[in-house]
Amino acid sequence: MGRLCIIARSVSPPSPHPSPMSAGLNLAQLQAVHYTEGPCLVLAGAGSGKTRVITHKIAHMIERGLEPRRIAAITFTNKAAAEMRERAKGLIGRAAKDVLVCTFHALGVRMVREDGKVLGLKPQFSILDQDDVTSILKDAAGGTTDAATARQWQWTISLWKNMGLNAAQALAQAKDDHERSIALIMQRYEERLAAYQSVDFDDLISLPLKLLRDHPEVRAKWQAALGHVLVDEYQDTNATQYDLLKLLVGERGRFTAVGDDDQSIYGWRGATLDNLKKLPIDFPQLKVIKLEQNYRSTSAILRAANNVIGPNPKLFPKTLFSELGEGEPVRVVDADSEEHEAERAVARIQGLRAAANPPPDWKGFAILYRANHQAKPFEKALRKAGIPYKVSGGTSFFDRAEIRDLCAWFRLWINSDDDPAFLRAITSPKRGIGHTTLGALGQFATQHKQSLFAALFSPMLPAALPRRALDGLHEFGRYVNDLEYRARQTLGAENARAFLADWLKEIDYEKHLYDGEDSEKVAAARWSNVLEFCDWMAQRAGGQIDDTAGATTQMEIKSLLEVAQTIALLSTLSDREKDQDVVTLSTLHASKGLEWPHVILAGVTEGMLPFKLDDDGGRQQKVSDETLSRLQEERRLMYVGITRAQRSLAVSWTKKRKKGREMVAAQPSRFIAEMALDKTTAREDPREKLKALRAEFALKAQNAAKVA
């Protein structure tokens, strides 16, 4: 089964003489690292060193005789997995390469590839991205639906899947005609996925769960192999992930869940605090360990954070503390409008830099807000001041749907057995080959244990498909083979540029983009991305490679096919911004897990944070359970924002804000009052402070000149 998770076995109690590897851990961290005998919940407050605990626990288990290949740590993002893998490598060296650090979904892929045959899936099943799903949903509804509606269906279906519901169950529980119609579309969508030998992102959790729940022999196999499973960011798990974890660890319950109920901010995508409530019930022997010492923020910042989160009900009460000193008071900045607020944010950044010697790097500053649209005035103000910045959380160029369409064709040239690439290429753009034909091809390929492309040319396929469908498939297959041959012969930048231009014209890709978008402006932008990407490919064929510093290196001329073979490496280019010295603009959700020396929380007004509650500001005596739950999650979002700051924090709000085309009066968020700041130190006018600093510097310069 390869490198997966650990098989638990009896581990002796921790030695009274801790390993040198545990040096530098506080008592609570040591306790979490050394407890391996049963189920363990580590409540890791913000900045309390949870990744350090996980990596040291891995090292501790290896030190006590556990094979590295039997250890797994499950994270929620590839970025978090990469960081954990790197830190484990720094701690335990080469042994870290045998530890599996992966996301829930990556583990799901492994399980389904290994045992999906009992569900009727071949090991080379296709994993569809969001654009593929949207396209299939539009097709399932008859092809007349716009993309925006299909994405709304996709969102609802995803929530149902995260709750563990299939189409039949969703239909049975539907509240109204609207939900019933979506459930019926979900039913047709499930049929198409089965026919295409494909799964979507949510299936990578629900299918492993089905494997373990409905197939005792598969469950026995995995439970025999898995032992102590470490789960990071446990508070972000949904109902399906919790059920999957329970079946993976079985009755022995050898796992460590690391999380923080105060940082649960993803309820809108299915995460539930019920998973924390269930742990002590489902695992009565659960050991709860709290990490309350914060190594990130000053006491002033933590006091504001503790005060804000105070009104929320506590599953496991804890209070963060710091030994980094009191630090600067948390400041509150009011502004007349969003533009005024942005000007004051810029003035604060300039003031903090002017007051320090040497001035802090730009990358030490972040402006955080509730919604993406709030970034615009800050971008304008930063550009006007000549301050470099980046907007975090945007789509990578190489993740754009149009670029992934082209890459699917390239992948198919290189590896004709790549079924996900086949499905994307044959439908982007559409070639008159419908889901019925593709479904029949998928069933034939599964039956004969072939890839979809190989099945095209099987002498037995004519018996399974009508002549017209067969002709369409054969035409596509021949065209792909022809493109592969031509790409292999195409050398140099100009030839590559001409080849790509001819190819795009042959498949009429520009028309495909315009037909698929409601907005002509959006379609034009997507086509511009395609042209930019093709130019980049052509430059690579000509041997011109841009390095991360922006310089151009001349390498040997390559064929277009050779360039296409490097497609898998393109995603690394999206990391160029990582080490740039720029101010970060980010939503609060995207900021989770990050930290900066200086943070500005912007737009902290009622209606934005907390976001549009239905209780006229939440001050009525009777509030619905749903509204109360939303308020508590918004309060946790504020808490997450506060605890991103290391040395200084400013919270700003506007007296007026835009609502459509109008300006409406705004009130400071209730969360500002809940921070319980000292009124004598909280209020700040950044422009006056910057003005005073400049006057002080000018006076010093004059005095120095007189002395000289």
Side-chain angles (χ1 to χ4, degrees), residues 549-588:
T552 300
T553 304
Q554 187 66 40
M555 307 292 285
E556 63 176 309
I557 292 175
K558 296 182 177 181
S559 74
L560 189 58
L561 191 68
E562 287 177 304
V563 175
Q565 286 173 328
T566 67
I567 284 294
L569 304 176
L570 295 183
S571 61
T572 60
L573 297 179
S574 63
D575 293 334
R576 284 184 176 181
E577 290 185 342
K578 184 168 60 175
D579 296 323
Q580 286 186 325
D581 186 21
V582 295
V583 173
T584 297
L585 302 181
S586 173
T587 63
L588 286 164

Side-chain angles (χ1 to χ4, degrees), residues 69-278:
R69 65 184 179 84
R70 291 177 171 175
I71 301 176
I74 304 176
T75 67
F76 271 82
T77 67
N78 290 321
K79 182 180 177 182
E83 180 192 353
M84 194 173 294
R85 201 175 293 117
E86 194 62 29
R87 290 174 69 168
K89 182 180 176 183
L91 195 63
I92 57 180
R94 292 181 60 186
K97 69 180 175 60
D98 294 324
V99 177
L100 179 73
V101 183
C102 65
T103 63
F104 264 108
H105 295 89
L107 179 60
V109 170
R110 185 178 291 244
M111 293 176 68
V112 179
R113 290 217 189 280
E114 207 167 302
D115 292 300
K117 56 185 177 293
V118 300
L119 301 176
L121 280 171
K122 60 179 181 177
Q124 294 79 28
F125 62 83
S126 302
I127 302 171
L128 304 179
D129 63 22
Q130 290 188 344
D131 296 309
D132 297 326
V133 172
T134 301
S135 177
I136 293 173
L137 285 172
K138 288 171 68 175
D139 185 58
T144 58
T145 304
D146 61 82
T149 302
R151 282 192 287 268
Q152 288 296 322
W153 295 341
Q154 183 179 348
W155 185 252
T156 302
I157 290 170
S158 177
L159 281 176
W160 282 341
K161 285 190 174 188
N162 287 334
M163 292 166 61
L165 304 178
N166 59 27
Q169 292 166 327
L171 184 61
Q173 297 184 24
K175 299 174 185 174
D176 50 38
D177 289 342
H178 178 65
E179 286 195 358
R180 275 188 285 276
S181 67
I182 298 177
L184 290 171
I185 290 168
M186 182 179 178
Q187 203 165 43
R188 294 195 285 273
Y189 171 65
E190 287 180 346
E191 291 168 359
R192 280 160 173 74
L193 289 189
Y196 293 172
Q197 283 288 298
S198 300
V199 302
D200 63 23
F201 207 55
D202 298 311
D203 290 329
L204 297 178
I205 306 299
S206 59
L207 290 178
L209 175 60
K210 189 175 183 181
L211 276 173
L212 299 181
R213 187 182 57 214
D214 300 345
H215 300 275
E217 72 286 359
V218 176
R219 181 169 66 249
K221 166 192 165 181
W222 284 89
Q223 286 187 355
L226 302 185
H228 201 110
V229 181
L230 299 113
V231 182
D232 189 20
E233 301 287 9
Y234 177 76
Q235 77 282 350
D236 294 337
T237 54
N238 59 41
T240 312
Q241 287 162 334
Y242 178 68
D243 289 341
L244 176 63
L245 176 65
K246 275 203 308 180
L247 288 172
L248 280 173
V249 301
E251 293 181 1
R252 292 174 303 169
R254 299 278 175 82
F255 68 87
T256 300
V258 183
D260 182 7
D261 51 337
D262 289 334
Q263 295 187 71
S264 179
I265 58 174
Y266 293 113
W268 47 276
R269 69 182 189 197
T272 173
L273 282 175
D274 285 346
N275 290 353
L276 276 165
K277 296 175 184 175
K278 289 175 182 174

Side-chain angles (χ1 to χ4, degrees), residues 5 45 65 91 93 118 128 191 272 294 296 391 398 443 497 660 696:
C5 292
L91 195 63
V118 300
L128 304 179
E191 291 168 359
T272 173
N294 176 286
R296 175 188 300 159
V391 181
F398 296 99
Q443 289 172 347
R497 196 172 277 110
E696 181 183 337

Side-chain angles (χ1 to χ4, degrees), residues 30 41 88 98 101 104 132 152 163 165 188 303 318 322 343 405 415 426 434 496 531 608 651:
L30 279 171
L41 172 61
D98 294 324
V101 183
F104 264 108
D132 297 326
Q152 288 296 322
M163 292 166 61
L165 304 178
R188 294 195 285 273
R303 189 162 54 250
K318 65 181 183 305
S322 170
E343 290 170 8
D405 283 350
N415 175 18
I426 203 169
L531 297 179
M608 281 308 302
V651 179

Side-chain angles (χ1 to χ4, degrees), residues 348-498:
R348 176 173 174 81
I349 291 171
Q350 291 172 326
L352 286 168
R353 279 174 56 87
N357 188 21
D361 293 336
W362 295 116
K363 64 184 177 184
F365 296 87
I367 301 173
L368 311 180
Y369 36 78
R370 178 65 173 78
N372 281 309
H373 70 82
Q374 292 174 276
K376 193 172 182 179
F378 294 100
E379 288 193 70
K380 288 181 178 178
L382 289 165
R383 280 200 300 266
K384 183 179 178 182
I387 296 175
Y389 70 91
K390 68 175 179 180
V391 181
S392 182
T395 303
S396 161
F397 183 79
F398 296 99
D399 283 337
R400 297 179 189 277
E402 57 273 19
I403 306 304
R404 297 182 73 167
D405 283 350
L406 305 192
C407 288
W409 284 82
F410 299 158
R411 284 161 46 199
L412 201 54
W413 300 349
I414 297 157
N415 175 18
S416 61
D417 289 331
D418 186 336
D419 281 3
F422 178 94
L423 285 171
R424 185 153 195 151
I426 203 169
T427 56
S428 304
K430 289 183 182 296
R431 309 178 60 87
I433 299 172
H435 74 272
T436 303
T437 298
L438 290 175
L441 179 66
Q443 289 172 347
F444 180 89
T446 302
Q447 183 181 349
H448 293 85
K449 298 181 179 179
Q450 293 178 303
S451 70
L452 294 170
F453 192 87
L456 283 184
F457 301 104
S458 169
M460 293 178 285
L461 187 61
L465 285 172
R467 180 60 183 267
R468 185 178 174 186
L470 196 64
D471 287 345
L473 290 172
H474 282 167
E475 181 188 351
F476 175 74
R478 286 191 295 268
Y479 184 54
V480 169
N481 283 334
D482 178 57
L483 286 171
E484 185 270 338
Y485 174 79
R486 286 159 53 193
R488 190 183 298 277
Q489 309 303 316
T490 301
L491 294 170
E494 291 309 311
N495 290 333
R497 196 172 277 110

Side-chain angles (χ1 to χ4, degrees), residues 539-540 542-556:
Q539 287 179 6
R540 304 276 292 189
Q544 295 180 5
I545 301 177
D546 295 334
D547 65 22
T548 54
T552 300
T553 304
Q554 187 66 40
M555 307 292 285
E556 63 176 309

